[in-house]
Amino acid sequence: MIFTFFFYTFFSSAVLLYGIGLNSSTIICDSIKELTLPLVKVVATVFTTAVLCWLVIRNILVPLNLVLMYPFIAILIFFAVSIFFEVIIRITSGKITSDFNISFLIILLTLNESSNILEVLMISFSAMCSFFFLLPLMYALKHRIDLLTENQIFGNRKTLILLSVAMLIIILSFINVSWLNPGVMK
């Protein structure tokens, strides 16, 4: 289980290698202090939807041989759960925390990669951690680039952030040195 956590958090990062929430992280990194409520909603939505989807797939779709329908069922369950948590948050705090792409893509990744309920929870937690761990890095990159762009040395800030993340992706991908195995070259 610890290997699964590290694999989906760092080695096969949901954000850096799958691209889940990469564009959103460049926008979100402007105000990291105001993220607690949306992050709570993402965590609650992802865990609830992933478990419900896995149970529906396992107990209904598999016996009926309708497993290929799981993305449709997942989006229906996701919308119901997301709207439920959105209503609760709007009633209690009066803030809007709507999101779609990050939560739903994490759910699809989780359902594709897991084979039991424990893996559903572990992979979804790891994918969310991957996104949450990237936010302070993006925030630091944004502030560093803001220091450089004060003198108008460089142009667009979002472009520089994405280029920095691209370099991080290349470095992370280079760690996989399976091409150095002697059997590959034969």
Side-chain angles (χ1 to χ4, degrees):
M1 276 299 141
I2 195 80
F3 176 74
T4 303
F5 173 76
F6 283 118
F7 182 75
Y8 285 102
T9 304
F10 300 111
F11 307 125
S12 181
S13 172
V15 178
L16 296 178
L17 295 182
Y18 289 103
I20 296 175
L22 187 59
N23 191 30
S24 300
S25 64
T26 60
I27 298 167
I28 290 175
C29 70
D30 287 337
S31 60
I32 234 169
K33 294 176 184 173
E34 300 173 5
L35 290 178
T36 54
L37 204 54
L39 293 182
V40 167
K41 184 191 175 215
V42 166
V43 169
T45 302
V46 166
F47 278 138
T48 306
T49 304
V51 169
L52 287 175
C53 286
W54 190 83
L55 290 172
V56 167
I57 290 168
R58 184 77 172 167
N59 297 324
I60 296 172
L61 295 181
V62 169
L64 295 175
N65 291 328
L66 296 173
V67 178
L68 294 177
M69 295 290 293
Y70 86 90
F72 178 70
I73 299 299
I75 200 150
L76 291 177
I77 294 172
F78 171 74
F79 279 140
V81 170
S82 181
I83 290 171
F84 173 73
F85 284 120
E86 181 71 25
V87 167
I88 288 176
I89 289 174
R90 282 190 189 181
I91 289 172
T92 57
S93 69
K95 294 184 179 181
I96 298 172
T97 61
S98 61
D99 68 321
F100 175 76
N101 61 353
I102 298 168
S103 302
F104 187 66
L105 291 175
I106 288 174
I107 291 165
L108 284 181
L109 172 71
T110 300
L111 293 175
N112 278 330
E113 300 288 325
S114 61
S115 60
N116 58 32
I117 195 75
L118 190 59
E119 283 184 359
V120 166
L121 294 173
M122 184 58 70
I123 293 173
S124 59
F125 178 72
S126 300
M128 286 185 290
C129 284
S130 174
F131 181 73
F132 298 154
F133 290 160
L134 185 69
L135 288 179
L137 177 69
M138 297 293 277
Y139 187 71
L141 277 172
K142 183 192 85 63
H143 278 297
R144 183 68 178 162
I145 289 171
D146 284 344
L147 291 174
L148 293 174
T149 56
E150 278 184 3
N151 300 328
Q152 297 299 329
I153 297 171
F154 296 108
N156 190 358
R157 178 178 70 183
K158 188 173 179 181
T159 305
L160 290 174
I161 291 173
L162 285 176
L163 284 173
S164 301
V165 171
M167 292 302 295
L168 185 62
I169 292 170
I170 290 170
I171 291 168
L172 187 64
S173 297
F174 191 75
I175 291 172
N176 181 10
V177 290
S178 61
W179 54 273
L180 290 175
N181 289 338
V184 174
M185 301 304 272
K186 291 181 181 179

